Amino acid sequence: MTQPPEPFILRAIRVAYATSVGLALLGAVGGWYYWPGTLAWLSIFLGVVGLIGGIAITQLLSRFRMILWLLPFAAKFRAAMRDQGSAPPSDADRRRR
């Protein structure tokens, strides 16, 4: 039985992580192989860029996950504030007027 294809975003995340790990490994191996020299420093720089890219991807995804986790709480909070009369009207209420 065939497996359903994975969503595009999961594939893109895996490719981004694989690219950052590949750049870091390439930088480490290149820095070791070409030491001492300019190519070693370029390889090390490439590895550092890969590590920074991996950290940036991780931070971005964690912020998205936190926002998605907090959205239901924000809706409940906004509804409670609207019931008390201290929140601005929702977009649906604005359209009705």
Side-chain angles (χ1 to χ4, degrees):
M1 189 164 275
T2 61
Q3 297 270 342
E6 61 185 10
F8 171 75
I9 189 70
L10 292 178
R11 236 178 308 148
I13 290 169
R14 287 189 182 127
V15 166
Y17 274 125
T19 303
S20 68
V21 168
L23 283 175
L25 288 174
L26 184 68
V29 171
W32 174 78
Y33 185 76
Y34 292 116
W35 190 262
T38 306
L39 285 177
W41 287 108
L42 288 174
S43 297
I44 292 170
F45 175 74
L46 188 67
V48 169
V49 167
L51 289 175
I52 291 172
I55 291 170
I57 292 168
T58 302
Q59 289 295 315
L60 182 68
L61 291 175
S62 68
R63 299 212 192 277
F64 282 151
R65 184 175 54 219
M66 182 180 61
I67 289 169
L68 291 175
W69 184 75
L70 288 175
L71 279 176
F73 295 112
K76 288 179 186 177
F77 179 72
R78 188 170 186 164
M81 295 298 285
R82 191 173 34 244
D83 290 341
Q84 292 178 355
S86 58
S90 67
D91 293 337
D93 292 338
R94 288 184 197 144
R95 287 186 199 130
R96 289 182 198 154
R97 292 181 187 176

